[in-house]
Amino acid sequence: MNLEDARILVVDDNEDNRFTLVRRLKKLGYQKPEIAVNGRDALEKLAAQPFDLVLLDIMMPEMDGYEVLETVKKDMRLRHIPIIMISAADQLESVVKCIELGAEDFLPKPFNATLLRARVSASLEKKTLRDQETAYRAQIVAEKKRTDDLLHAIIPALAVQELKQTGVVRPRTFNAVGILFCDIVGFTAYCDRNLPETVVAHLQALIEAFEKIVDNHQMEKIKTIGDAFMATSGLLRPVDAPLLTAVRCGLEMSRAAREMEPNWEVRIGLHFGPVVAGIVGKQQFLFDVWGDTVNIAARLVEHSSPGAVAMTAAAWQEIQDECDARSLGIIDIKGKGKLDIVEAYALR
């Protein structure tokens, strides 16, 4: 803290004492001392503007130094301000009481220039160190929040909790999970016709809308790859009906896409079953899921019609009373062979 910047408040009901202290402080290089003529005046000034140090007389009418000191130390906004008590040489017991109440130090009357310099300088230095500590602590808290926000942006909440507690998120099997994949129809052609900035802006708006819909359905976004969006139902957030929840989510995503510029059409594939989920590797963490359930859902995207959700007939039978669907017939699914596929297009 520069001497010129230090804000010092001199509190004394005696005008001669105030004049003497202010003059000596200015000779020492402190250019901004202010005065308060009594205790109440001091509290008003402390509440109105920041100070780095208070020189406080003990004996004052109406509100003495003890009352001012106690009031300041009880106020969470002011208690960090160091206070040096001003006392006569025969007031040693009073000084001890003030130190016990939280005073930083004391100055005896009559004032000694060398002692004044030493005690004011020491108190301001301690105040500077405390301010730095407070600033560092706030910075640490802010950095921790930024780190947590980043982790939550790329990893589901429960996985973040495990990662922070153990340092890893071990892959494990989940037996009943809905896997949803969504692709934009004609995205490559759209990119060829538009500026990259326009494409990214429209894609950002769409993905943000999808994220909100997924969260509203208590599902988890897993990742985006280009224009592909992947989410899960019943993985780390419990839902009553993971498969039906994913269908509802998919249909809402499709409706939302049509309403957004440039009136996107999307294809959605969905499957339900066991998956393995977790994090592999030690760099650039990515929470991911694996297994046949994931592979089938990814393959079904290319067979769905815009605005519908493609799934196996076996999956649809689990929710047939809740939605309307049409058959797509027997389709040869890469890696799985021929499967009976339907697509849900409306909820009942």
Side-chain angles (χ1 to χ4, degrees):
M1 184 184 301
N2 294 328
L3 298 184
E4 297 82 1
D5 297 329
R7 297 184 61 85
I8 301 175
L9 180 63
V10 175
V11 186
D12 199 314
D13 65 308
N14 184 289
E15 184 177 358
D16 290 339
N17 289 341
R18 294 196 303 268
F19 176 80
T20 301
L21 272 176
V22 168
R23 184 183 61 182
R24 293 192 177 185
L25 287 170
K26 287 184 176 181
K27 283 185 177 180
L28 292 174
Y30 301 105
Q31 299 303 312
K32 297 181 180 180
E34 296 195 26
I35 62 171
V37 298
N38 55 53
R40 298 192 187 282
D41 186 26
L43 292 178
E44 290 176 2
K45 284 183 166 59
L46 288 169
Q49 55 187 307
F51 284 95
D52 300 304
L53 176 63
V54 177
L55 303 181
L56 177 62
D57 187 30
I58 294 179
M59 303 305 295
M60 293 185 294
E62 294 188 34
M63 190 176 196
D64 62 26
Y66 300 124
E67 294 176 271
V68 176
L69 177 61
E70 285 187 279
T71 301
V72 170
K73 292 306 175 180
K74 288 179 180 178
D75 191 325
M76 298 303 294
R77 300 169 303 167
L78 305 176
R79 62 183 306 174
H80 66 284
I81 302 174
I83 297 178
I84 296 178
M85 304 305 297
I86 301 171
S87 66
D90 60 352
Q91 292 178 319
L92 184 58
E93 291 185 3
S94 298
V95 169
V96 172
K97 178 181 177 181
C98 291
I99 297 297
E100 291 175 345
L101 289 174
E104 187 77 27
D105 210 330
F106 76 97
L107 277 171
K109 300 176 185 177
F111 304 116
N112 177 280
T114 302
L115 191 59
L116 175 67
R117 181 194 307 111
R119 292 188 172 171
V120 168
S121 176
S123 295
L124 288 174
E125 184 175 354
K126 290 179 182 178
K127 169 70 162 47
T128 299
L129 292 175
R130 282 196 292 266
D131 289 347
Q132 289 177 346
E133 181 183 2
T134 300
Y136 292 150
R137 190 181 298 114
Q139 182 178 357
I140 291 171
V141 171
E143 292 294 340
K144 181 179 182 297
K145 184 179 184 303
R146 279 195 286 270
T147 300
D148 286 347
D149 289 344
L150 179 60
L151 280 175
H152 281 283
I154 60 177
I155 301 175
L158 290 179
V160 171
Q161 183 178 349
E162 181 180 349
L163 181 64
K164 292 170 70 173
Q165 289 176 346
T166 67
V168 296
V169 181
R170 299 188 183 281
R172 60 176 67 99
T173 299
F174 298 82
N175 292 317
V177 178
I179 301 292
L180 180 150
F181 277 92
C182 176
D183 276 342
I184 299 174
V185 176
F187 184 72
T188 300
Y190 170 77
C191 292
D192 293 339
R193 297 192 306 269
N194 292 274
L195 294 172
E197 295 83 0
T198 302
V199 173
V200 172
H202 288 166
L203 184 61
Q204 175 72 20
L206 181 68
I207 296 303
E208 288 182 4
F210 283 176
E211 290 173 341
K212 184 175 180 180
I213 293 169
V214 164
D215 189 59
N216 288 342
H217 285 275
Q218 299 298 303
M219 294 175 57
E220 306 98 354
K221 172 192 171 184
I222 299 301
K223 60 184 175 182
T224 57
I225 304 175
D227 66 312
F229 184 96
M230 179 184 179
T232 61
S233 174
L235 181 65
L236 298 179
R237 300 169 74 177
V239 293
D240 292 335
L243 177 58
L244 181 59
T245 297
V247 173
R248 288 172 174 163
C249 181
L251 292 175
E252 185 176 346
M253 290 168 63
S254 182
R255 288 193 299 271
R258 288 196 184 110
E259 296 171 357
M260 300 184 65
E261 191 177 359
N263 306 117
W264 304 101
E265 291 283 2
V266 296
R267 302 180 189 273
I268 297 173
L270 173 66
H271 199 47
F272 181 74
V275 300
V276 175
I279 293 176
V280 294
K282 293 185 177 180
Q283 297 181 359
Q284 297 179 331
F285 286 150
L286 175 64
F287 186 85
D288 211 344
V289 293
W290 306 272
D292 274 352
T293 303
V294 179
N295 296 335
I296 292 173
R299 300 281 186 250
L300 290 178
V301 173
E302 60 190 88
H303 300 289
S304 71
S305 302
V309 179
M311 67 187 79
T312 65
W316 176 75
Q317 288 175 2
E318 298 291 328
I319 57 171
Q320 58 182 325
D321 294 334
E322 305 291 341
C323 61
D324 294 323
R326 51 183 168 254
S327 174
L328 297 179
I330 304 299
I331 297 177
D332 191 6
I333 301 298
K334 182 179 179 181
K336 291 302 296 181
K338 297 184 183 298
L339 294 176
D340 189 6
I341 305 300
V342 304
E343 60 181 12
Y345 59 88
L347 296 171
R348 292 180 183 172

